[in-house]
Amino acid sequence: MIARRLFPVAAAFLQTSTHNVCARTTGYSRLSPSTAFVSSSASIQTGTSLRMSSTATSVSEVKVGDKLPAVTLKEGQPDYDKPVEVNLLSLIAGKKVAIFAVPGAFTPGCSKSHLPSFITAKDELASKGIEMIICVATNDAYVMEAWGRTSGGSDAGIRFLSDDASLTRALGLAMESDVFVRSKRYSLIAEDGIVTHYFSSAEQSSDTWAPNVLSKL
């Protein structure tokens, strides 16, 4: 008799618990494919920090004349060796460099257009005084190494660096969500760490490709 009276209560409890778990799980479906990509290390530590992006202080978008931030990126190594930390300002100190960022390694637009444009233009860029070309994305260092190796970018001398979103956020170019962070597409020229040319993809992606960059140098 007692069991029969308790059964409806237990069933109701299970139904409510299942509903809550499903609601929490399917909540991720609100994320669009364009933002669901790389997990931010800061956003997975606690339940509170998952909401960080919605309350984070907004940062102005990078512009000509700005000094690039002092951030540490990571560079993947052959044969899956441990990635090496790279201090961006130390890497580019005293150099004229081209830096371009993509929303994701191995994605169609980045693999078919943006990256190949810099591979093709590497000699012309060198003739304009560009001493180093750097590709940045929020993929992990292992993925960036594999993309550089398989695309021919590494053979062309391009450095493929993984950003934990520190650089992307500092430049005001992060596409945030509660869980994932991507970089907006952009290219820039910097001399000794100072931005001299900036190319945004706000109007069209091709504005950030190497031919347009070359036309302004």
Side-chain angles (χ1 to χ4, degrees):
M1 178 69 76
I2 294 174
R4 284 198 298 271
R5 287 199 297 270
L6 290 176
F7 179 77
V9 176
F13 173 77
L14 289 172
Q15 182 177 11
T16 302
S17 300
T18 302
H19 173 77
N20 289 339
V21 171
C22 290
R24 288 195 296 271
T25 304
T26 56
Y28 291 109
S29 64
R30 293 193 299 272
L31 297 176
S32 69
S34 65
T35 55
F37 189 56
V38 173
S39 173
S40 163
S41 58
S43 69
I44 62 177
Q45 294 175 359
T46 66
T48 304
S49 63
L50 287 174
R51 296 291 174 184
M52 204 166 91
S53 64
S54 61
T55 57
T57 303
S58 97
V59 178
S60 298
E61 186 171 346
V62 63
K63 63 185 182 303
V64 171
D66 286 349
K67 183 176 179 62
L68 291 176
V71 296
T72 298
L73 306 176
K74 288 190 175 182
E75 186 169 30
Q77 303 299 303
D79 300 320
Y80 306 103
D81 282 350
K82 183 179 179 181
V84 173
E85 292 189 343
V86 177
N87 181 289
L88 179 62
L89 292 185
S90 295
L91 177 66
I92 64 177
K95 298 182 178 70
K96 183 176 182 179
V97 301
I99 300 175
F100 68 97
V102 298
F106 290 106
T107 55
C110 308
S111 297
K112 293 181 178 180
S113 301
H114 201 172
L115 171 57
S117 76
F118 277 89
I119 294 175
T120 302
K122 66 183 182 67
D123 292 334
E124 289 180 86
L125 286 166
S127 72
K128 298 287 187 178
I130 300 298
E131 299 168 76
M132 181 183 297
I133 303 173
I134 301 169
C135 175
V136 176
T138 55
N139 295 87
D140 66 52
Y142 297 101
V143 171
M144 290 299 285
E145 187 279 329
W147 193 37
R149 172 168 38 83
T150 58
S151 65
S154 293
D155 288 341
I158 297 174
R159 302 284 293 270
F160 287 77
L161 302 182
S162 170
D163 176 26
D164 65 359
S166 297
L167 174 62
T168 299
R169 285 176 171 143
L171 296 179
L173 293 167
M175 295 187 285
E176 302 271 4
S177 78
D178 285 348
V179 181
F180 301 104
V181 183
R182 281 186 188 257
S183 172
K184 293 180 182 179
R185 187 184 305 282
Y186 68 87
S187 295
L188 62 82
I189 303 297
E191 294 189 41
D192 196 23
I194 304 299
V195 178
T196 59
H197 300 74
Y198 172 61
F199 305 89
S200 168
S201 61
E203 294 188 7
Q204 52 188 10
S205 295
S206 59
D207 287 343
T208 67
W209 297 353
N212 188 53
V213 174
L214 278 166
S215 72
K216 304 298 190 295
L217 298 180

